[in-house]
Every structure is written in C-alpha cells, then in structure tokens.
Amino acid sequence: MSHPPERPDDETGLPGLRTWPAVYWAVVVFFAVCVVLLALLSGVHA
C-alpha cells in the first residue's frame, strides 16, 4: 500500500485556507459576522 505524501505541520490541507493562522482568522471573522447579524436581526424583530 502506498501512503499519501507527508504535509508540513503548518499546512491545513484546506483549499482556501492553507495555514492555521488563516483558519483562525476565518473563524474569528465568521463569529463576528454571526454576532452582527444576530444584533441586526434582533433589532428588526423588536
């Protein structure tokens, strides 16, 4: 059996987010967008 090629520890294997700091920033931005949308939608509903 052949094994897949080894990747360096700092690569994620994700197509758009190749380094871990990029993944962390994407999570932070996604969280911030969710908080802003929740704030806006709760204001519209009230």
Side-chain angles (χ1 to χ4, degrees), residues 11-26:
E11 289 187 6
T12 63
L14 298 172
L17 304 169
R18 300 203 181 276
T19 62
W20 286 111
V23 173
Y24 299 149
W25 277 111

Side-chain angles (χ1 to χ4, degrees), residues 24-40:
Y24 299 149
W25 277 111
V27 170
V28 168
V29 168
F30 178 75
F31 178 74
V33 168
C34 287
V35 169
V36 168
L37 285 175
L38 284 171
L40 291 174

